[in-house]
Amino acid sequence: MKNILVTGGAGFIGSNFINYILNKRDDYFIVNLDKLTYAGNLENLRPSEKKKNYRFVKGDIINHELVNYIFQKYDIKYIINFAAESHVDRSILGSEIFYRTNVIGTNVLLEVSRRYEVERFLQISTDEVYGSLGLQGSFIETTPLSPNSPYSSSKVAADMMALAFYHTYGMPVLITRCSNNYGAYQFPEKLIPLMIINCLNDKELPVYGDGMNVRDWIYVIDHNKAVETVFENGKIGEVYNIGAENEMPNIKIVELILEHLNKSKNLIKFVKDRPGHDRRYAIDAAKIKNELGWKPEFSFENAIKDTIDWYLNNKNWWGRIISGDYQKYYEKQYNS
Ligand code: NAD
Ligand code: DAU
């Protein structure tokens, strides 16, 4: 049995990871430590919550004592750190919590992992650490780091810290850097769910700037299969890019959603650009493909339609989020 601490497992990617992996493997025992910020939602984990090899702990990764207690109680030997403040726009409005969670929080996890001599520490990072591309080229693992937002700079700090622990203490650290994810359970402030939900409510679709910023999209299950691959077979001390070669300007995604939902383009509203908005991301994932044999399995055409349909069929899920009801529910449940 592998005793794994998964942090941030009630968020978008973390919950998809837990549901995917527990459906597949009974040799993983997963403890999910999540603070349940606005982005954490236990409803995402319905498929896993009754499993014998799953536990949930509500708490902050900054809480050294709690993290220590979890390691001791559950004999944790592995850690996958998804926990983060993840939204660029929020980091522009206020950066402190980003550095607290993403930097100090990662430091706590690394320190406790060092004390308990973990066998693998997988840091979930992002392609945003590389900064912005021009019209040509793509990020490789050795592309110089050049973060432009408070969010991405906090992720760079965490990456550097994790690698420093590898070099200094020989800690078995691995890092993945993935491109933009889409799929079920993504919090409705990110581009794709926001546009789908606004469309369904006949609300304006706020496109930043000229709509020609490019992101490189990957289906969340493909990302999580790559995480599993690196966790199982990645080489200690290495960084692995993850991407599905699916670059697209934002406006094209918005038009595609409108088309699928049979809505008018008049809903599109070009709005003031995001400050410091990175123009283009593109991931070269040759290393993970060639060295570990991973490749994306889902086509964008099908997976984006499935994603739109998931939001269509799960109005209760996002309805509760939009109305704020789910936060009140957790506050009552956990603070009483
Ligand atoms: P998310 O915002 O949906 O979820 C983050 C989760 O972390 C939430 O459940 C939240 O409650 C929890 N959390 C936040 N602060 C915490 C703290 N101090 N202690 C414990 N838990 C805390 O984020 P996501 O989109 O699922 O991203 C997960 C990870 O993947 C992040 O590290 C992010 O940087 C990285 N990433 C995301 C994308 C993407 O497209 N969404 C792409 C590449 C990498
Ligand atoms: O690239 C990986 C990153 O992708 C992750 O590290 C982040 O955690 C994740 O949030 C995501 O960051 P982005 O800033 O790229 O995602 P977001 O969905 O916020 O925006 C995608 C693009 O859409 C970006 O160019 C900004 C634009 N946008 C976004 C919103 C919310 C709009 O035009 N309008 C919007 O309302």
Side-chain angles (χ1 to χ4, degrees):
M1 189 66 92
K2 278 187 168 155
N3 292 3
I4 308 166
L5 176 62
V6 171
T7 68
F12 163 48
I13 302 174
S15 60
N16 272 289
F17 177 77
I18 291 174
N19 291 337
Y20 159 72
I21 209 79
L22 287 183
N23 195 35
K24 181 174 170 195
R25 311 189 63 128
D26 45 24
D27 59 330
Y28 281 18
F29 177 82
I30 289 190
V31 180
N32 172 14
L33 171 62
D34 196 297
K35 187 178 167 186
L36 297 183
T37 67
Y38 76 95
N41 187 348
L42 290 180
E43 265 191 56
N44 305 2
L45 289 150
R46 289 274 183 260
S48 303
E49 64 188 7
K50 298 235 157 59
K51 294 227 155 82
K52 282 200 304 279
N53 50 342
Y54 172 75
R55 298 284 183 284
F56 173 71
V57 178
K58 181 182 186 283
D60 195 324
I61 58 168
I62 291 174
N63 186 338
H64 198 118
E65 228 172 283
L66 174 65
V67 175
N68 192 71
Y69 170 79
I70 292 170
F71 268 71
Q72 216 170 30
K73 175 164 182 187
Y74 294 107
D75 192 21
I76 298 295
K77 286 288 171 223
Y78 301 86
I79 178 156
I80 306 179
N81 182 26
F82 288 99
E85 286 293 335
S86 72
H87 190 42
V88 175
D89 290 333
R90 284 181 188 249
S91 80
I92 295 167
L93 292 174
S95 62
E96 192 185 333
I97 189 67
F98 282 74
Y99 295 111
R100 285 176 63 78
T101 288
N102 301 0
V103 185
I104 310 291
T106 303
N107 178 255
V108 168
L109 297 174
L110 283 164
E111 282 295 359
V112 178
S113 298
R114 184 159 78 90
R115 185 172 315 134
Y116 287 89
E117 298 181 342
V118 292
E119 292 178 27
R120 280 171 113 72
F121 185 113
L122 174 50
Q123 172 67 10
I124 304 297
S125 186
T126 167
D127 62 356
E128 297 205 9
V129 296
Y130 299 117
S132 187
L133 289 165
L135 291 176
Q136 302 295 321
S138 47
F139 301 128
I140 56 172
E141 286 81 356
T142 50
T143 299
L145 305 186
S146 181
N148 292 316
S149 70
Y151 162 69
S152 53
S153 70
S154 71
K155 295 296 285 187
V156 168
D159 283 17
M160 294 294 92
M161 197 181 347
L163 289 173
F165 272 61
Y166 163 70
H167 287 289
T168 306
Y169 305 115
M171 258 194 62
V173 162
L174 300 131
I175 295 178
T176 56
R177 294 187 181 140
C178 188
S179 59
N180 283 64
N181 285 223
Y182 64 96
Y185 303 120
Q186 186 166 31
F187 194 80
E189 67 187 356
K190 303 285 173 77
L191 180 78
I192 289 179
L194 177 82
M195 296 299 166
I196 297 170
I197 291 168
N198 279 13
C199 241
L200 291 173
N201 288 331
D202 290 311
K203 282 175 67 179
E204 281 175 347
L205 311 181
V207 175
Y208 298 163
D210 62 3
M212 291 306 288
N213 295 67
V214 171
R215 295 293 181 264
D216 189 356
W217 295 94
I218 183 170
Y219 190 47
V220 65
I221 302 298
D222 272 333
H223 178 190
N224 281 328
K225 287 185 175 189
V227 167
E228 179 191 14
T229 303
V230 172
F231 179 67
E232 282 293 328
N233 303 317
K235 196 167 156 236
I236 297 303
E238 293 289 317
V239 174
Y240 295 91
N241 280 352
I242 302 169
E245 286 178 55
N246 189 51
E247 286 183 59
M248 211 165 278
N250 295 331
I251 190 69
K252 197 170 158 202
I253 301 249
V254 172
E255 287 173 356
L256 200 149
I257 292 168
L258 281 164
E259 197 184 319
H260 189 68
L261 291 174
N262 204 15
K263 298 278 180 169
S264 158
K265 281 190 185 177
N266 293 335
L267 285 176
I268 295 174
K269 180 157 191 232
F270 289 95
V271 297
K272 194 163 161 281
D273 209 353
R274 170 186 280 176
H277 198 173
D278 285 338
R279 191 65 173 168
R280 177 174 162 256
Y281 302 148
I283 274 279
D284 181 335
K287 180 174 170 179
I288 186 173
K289 287 179 183 162
N290 296 337
E291 293 182 13
L292 304 182
W294 170 87
K295 60 176 181 358
E297 291 165 20
F298 293 85
S299 79
F300 181 76
E301 290 68 30
N302 293 334
I304 190 72
K305 283 181 188 148
D306 286 352
T307 301
I308 299 171
D309 290 342
W310 187 86
Y311 283 89
L312 252 176
N313 296 328
N314 287 275
K315 287 185 180 164
N316 285 343
W317 181 86
W318 53 262
R320 274 194 286 276
I321 291 175
I322 285 178
S323 67
D325 281 356
Y326 85 115
Q327 276 288 345
K328 283 184 219 139
Y329 169 74
Y330 290 132
E331 271 158 30
K332 225 159 97 194
Q333 189 177 2
Y334 286 98
N335 297 334
S336 53

